[in-house]
Amino acid sequence: LRGFTFMIERLLCRGFHKTLRGPEEIYILDKKIKGIWYEGYVYIRNKNGEPEYRIKICDSEGTVIPGKEYTVVKESVGMFSGFKDSSSGVKIFENDIVDGKYKELKKKKNRRFIVGWEKGSFVELALCNFSEVTIVGNMFNEDWDLILEEGFDN
């Protein structure tokens, strides 16, 4: 691992920067972490023989803002799905919990699920024909399992 750097170039991600004055909280392995979410390009660098996950902040057009980068919690890093919340326009990332409403509701039911990456695509979003997708949380919420259980059946 000596001196390595790995960057996910041009693949928009989101990561959580840990800071005591952060306005947000996430939970990883039942441990509360205060900080703030950032979007940008993630890279991994060697810090004292250990991998450190960093995020380079970018503007709305995807251009990296010089000098704007932060260390992020490894487990919080998720890729942008390419989809946005139907009502708010907020980007949907890996590990978000969303409600998906099917265009045609004949045999299929509406679904609540965690956005996940598998075998080269965002499985649920890519395979399902949704007319609306709404973010209801993410798997780093303290009560993420309850959010998921509540389901979506409107």
Side-chain angles (χ1 to χ4, degrees), residues 65-105:
I65 301 170
K68 288 281 195 175
E69 66 177 77
Y70 302 93
T71 300
V72 292
V73 178
K74 171 185 147 185
E75 294 83 358
S76 73
V77 174
M79 292 185 289
F80 174 49
S81 68
F83 294 90
K84 294 183 179 181
D85 184 294
S86 301
S87 55
S88 69
V90 171
K91 295 179 184 103
I92 298 174
F93 287 88
E94 185 177 13
N95 302 318
D96 280 341
I97 300 173
V98 299
D99 285 343
K101 188 172 186 180
Y102 286 100
K103 286 183 181 178
E104 296 178 22
L105 190 62

Side-chain angles (χ1 to χ4, degrees), residues 11-17 24 26 36-42 54-55 57 72-81 90-97 115 135 137-141:
L11 186 59
L12 185 63
C13 294
R14 175 181 68 190
F16 196 78
H17 172 64
E24 301 175 80
I26 65 170
I36 188 165
W37 287 104
Y38 284 113
E39 295 177 12
Y41 304 115
V42 172
R54 306 271 302 164
I55 192 164
I57 309 305
V72 292
V73 178
K74 171 185 147 185
E75 294 83 358
S76 73
V77 174
M79 292 185 289
F80 174 49
S81 68
V90 171
K91 295 179 184 103
I92 298 174
F93 287 88
E94 185 177 13
N95 302 318
D96 280 341
I97 300 173
V115 176
I135 300 169
N138 68 47
M139 66 178 281
F140 303 108
N141 292 108

